[in-house]
């Protein structure tokens, strides 16, 4: 089977095959799609609260590393936008930035502490913080107070998704521990 990515020097990540990449992308698209199909009458789409694209992206990072995480995190929102109209076009740029930061942070963290079950939620918090800081620097937010308000609003809105990310992270650590690494948290 053709490999898309090499394993890391530490041997933490598996090689990603073309077949696995196809399945990963299909599932990564299907999960947010199903979340968006769920009946919901909130002010924002349900996905904004549950963060399903981060679920699949973290699973990709946990098993396969940064390349698979970036592939998943950047392609799935674009495919979803074309197929369903969600996420909203205006949110794709910020979401892409957040996903890139999320992938880089969680890849590094999985290498350093693969048994820690809060890597995914912490990666999300770092990604949101970077996004808020950049938005305050280059957009109409323009102030630290506005960036703080934006960040607080996004974190409160995404609290349910953070819980789901922690549960996914915990399940991966428990059922698929990294070989030769401690799994304590």
């Amino acid at each position: 089977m053709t490999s898309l990515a090499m394993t890391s020097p530490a041997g933490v990540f598996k090689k990603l095959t073309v077949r696995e990449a196809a399945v990963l992308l299909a599932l990564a698209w299907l999960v947010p799609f199903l979340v968006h199909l769920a009946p919901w009458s909130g002010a924002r789409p349900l996905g904004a609260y549950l963060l399903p694209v981060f679920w699949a992206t973290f699973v990709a990072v946990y098993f396969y590393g940064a390349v698979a995480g970036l592939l998943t995190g950047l392609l799935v929102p674009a495919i979803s936008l074309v197929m369903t109209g969600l996420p909203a076009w205006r949110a794709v740029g910020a979401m892409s930035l957040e996903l890139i930061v999320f992938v880089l942070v969680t890849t590094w963290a999985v290498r350093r502490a693969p048994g820690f079950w809060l890597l995914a939620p912490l990666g999300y918090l770092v990604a949101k913080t970077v996004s808020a800081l950049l938005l305050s620097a280059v957009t109409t937010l323009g102030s630290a107070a506005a960036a703080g308000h934006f960040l607080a609003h996004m974190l409160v809105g995404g609290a349910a998704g953070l819980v789901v990310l922690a549960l996914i992270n915990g399940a991966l650590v428990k059922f698929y521990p990294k070989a030769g690494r401690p799994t304590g948290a």
Side-chain angles (χ1 to χ4, degrees):
M1 182 74 32
T2 305
S3 175
L4 295 178
M6 300 302 293
T7 56
S8 71
V12 175
F13 302 113
K14 295 172 23 178
K15 290 182 181 181
L16 179 64
T17 65
V18 172
R19 178 180 294 161
E20 290 168 331
V23 170
L24 182 63
L25 285 174
L27 289 174
W29 176 79
L30 183 62
V31 170
F33 178 73
L34 292 174
V35 167
H36 290 307
L37 284 179
W40 177 253
S41 61
R44 298 181 337 181
L46 184 57
Y49 296 98
L50 294 179
L51 317 172
V53 75
F54 287 89
W55 307 347
T57 302
F58 182 71
V59 170
V61 165
Y62 187 83
F63 287 116
Y64 303 107
V67 172
L70 289 170
L71 178 73
T72 303
L74 295 177
L75 285 180
V76 170
I79 294 167
S80 185
L81 176 65
V82 169
M83 301 293 286
T84 67
L86 292 170
W89 180 249
R90 61 179 162 58
V92 171
M95 179 183 275
S96 295
L97 168 69
E98 291 167 3
L99 285 162
I100 290 168
V101 172
F102 177 76
V103 165
L104 296 176
V105 167
T106 55
T107 299
W108 175 83
V110 167
R111 283 186 177 137
R112 305 288 292 164
F116 186 55
W117 60 278
L118 290 175
L119 298 177
L122 291 173
Y124 177 80
L125 294 174
V126 170
K128 273 296 180 186
T129 301
V130 168
S131 176
L133 291 172
L134 285 174
L135 282 172
S136 71
V138 298
T139 68
T140 58
L141 287 178
S143 73
H149 176 53
F150 169 79
L151 180 61
H153 177 71
M154 291 293 106
L155 294 179
V156 169
L162 287 172
V163 170
V164 175
L165 277 171
L167 291 172
I168 290 168
N169 195 162
L172 289 172
V173 167
K174 180 172 176 69
F175 296 111
Y176 300 98
K178 297 294 184 180
R181 299 289 183 138
T183 56

